[in-house]
Structures are given as C-alpha cells and as structure tokens.
Amino acid sequence: MYRTGDVVRWHESGGASAESDSAEIVGSGEGAHHTLEYIGRSDFQVKVRGFRIELGEIDAVLMHHPAVGFAATIGHVGPSGETVLVSYVRVSAADATDSDEIRAYAADRLPTHMVPSAVVLLERIPMTPVGKLDRKALPEPEFGSAAAEFHEPTTATERAVVDSFVEVLGLDRVSTTDSFFDLGGSSW
C-alpha cells in the first residue's frame, strides 16, 4: 500500500520489475502485468533511520527560537550516503546566536531522530524567480569534525571507536566528540 503523499506511476510490462521500489500488479485482461513504480514524495517528508519525518515540524520548532527569522529543513545525503537532516536558518543580524546554540535548542524540544545533524546559518535566503525557496541553491553543510573543533582520540578504546566510524561511514577522519548518527550512521 502506498501512503498519501507518495508519488507513483504505472508501467505496463510483460513481467515483474527488478526494482526494489516497485510492486507488480497482475491485471485481469489477457495476462497483462502492471508495475507500480515509487518515484518519491509530493510533500516534504523524509525517512531518516526508519522514522518518517515531516520537515515542517522541525522548522516550526526552530522558528520559536527568538533569534530565528527563517528556517527550512531538508533531507540531505550525509557523508555515509544515508539521509540526514540539515536545517538552514537566518538569524537577526544583531544576534550572536551560532549554529550549535540553535541545534541545542532543537535538541531540547524534539525527539532525537528529528534533531538536525547540521545547522547552516544563512545571510540571505536563496529564492527562485517566483519567490519560493531555491532548495538547489542552498550551500553544502559541514558535518561533524569538519564543522566543529577536532578532538584526537587519546586512548586505545577511543582510537578503536573512531577507526570503526571512519571505516563504516567512509570518512577521512572523525572526532571523538562526533555523533555516529549525526554523521549519517544508521543502526540498520
């Protein structure tokens, strides 16, 4: 069954599709086969670590922060290839709020799986010619140790954990303070 908001299309074919996001439907007329192909979503929901998340809920929480005048959250392919949450916010020019403070604000108010892995502060909001947010023009986020102070492992246990994260996530380096899930790791 496809949920409301899922975008699919029918394909008439002679047999089952090899795609994993397809479902075969056998018609009643002359052995016709139809394949239902999943294309994506018509809304701004994403699936992160098995949870379906409505991105507008995260934006609503961020907009309650007194310094935030704009917030937009997207599902972004993280360093490991998994989908992670990235929030783009614009704060008032007079405010000294940083991305870590905004992320901590979200962490105090949202379930862990809805906390953005990265918060990117914007000076201006990229817009399309018709006045909508230009999601394709948003800057690339920095994750984990690329965005924060790097902490070298100091014990054999820390080295083993960091080496495991580097191998599993396909990264060049990982700080001892980085979160496996924030870097795009999954328990799947």
Side-chain angles (χ1 to χ4, degrees), residues 153-167:
T154 57
T155 67
T157 302
E158 286 179 346
R159 170 58 52 209
V161 171
V162 164
D163 288 346
S164 296
F165 282 19
V166 165
E167 181 181 343

Side-chain angles (χ1 to χ4, degrees), residues 144-145 148-152 162 165 174-180 182:
S145 57
E149 185 179 340
F150 183 78
H151 296 273
E152 279 288 336
V162 164
F165 282 19
V174 173
S175 174
T176 58
T177 57
D178 286 339
S179 163
F180 178 74
D182 289 349

Side-chain angles (χ1 to χ4, degrees), residues 9-172:
R9 69 175 157 216
W10 287 105
H11 287 284
E12 190 170 338
S13 63
S17 170
E19 295 181 38
S20 62
D21 287 344
S22 300
E24 179 184 5
I25 307 294
V26 179
S28 58
E30 301 181 28
H33 291 272
H34 292 87
T35 304
L36 193 59
E37 178 186 3
Y38 177 78
I39 298 169
R41 298 281 307 170
S42 63
D43 55 15
F44 294 114
Q45 282 190 359
V46 295
K47 200 169 196 178
V48 175
R49 298 193 315 252
F51 295 98
R52 189 170 291 277
I53 299 169
E54 178 63 52
L55 299 175
E57 293 178 26
I58 299 167
D59 298 342
V61 168
L62 294 174
M63 289 295 294
H64 279 93
H65 188 287
V68 174
F70 169 85
T73 304
I74 65 167
H76 186 80
V77 178
S80 69
E82 296 288 328
T83 301
V84 295
L85 300 171
V86 177
S87 292
Y88 292 88
V89 299
R90 193 174 102 214
V91 297
S92 64
D95 201 296
T97 303
D98 66 7
S99 58
D100 290 336
E101 180 183 329
I102 293 170
R103 190 172 180 283
Y105 179 86
D108 287 344
R109 290 158 179 80
L110 292 167
T112 305
H113 65 276
M114 291 178 71
V115 176
S117 294
V119 173
V120 178
L121 300 179
L122 299 174
E123 290 183 17
R124 68 170 197 84
I125 303 165
M127 304 298 271
T128 64
V130 295
K132 293 184 179 182
L133 174 65
D134 187 352
R135 294 176 184 275
K136 293 178 183 175
L138 292 169
E140 284 292 314
E142 292 184 351
F143 296 98
S145 57
E149 185 179 340
F150 183 78
H151 296 273
E152 279 288 336
T154 57
T155 67
T157 302
E158 286 179 346
R159 170 58 52 209
V161 171
V162 164
D163 288 346
S164 296
F165 282 19
V166 165
E167 181 181 343
V168 169
L169 299 173
L171 299 171
D172 294 330

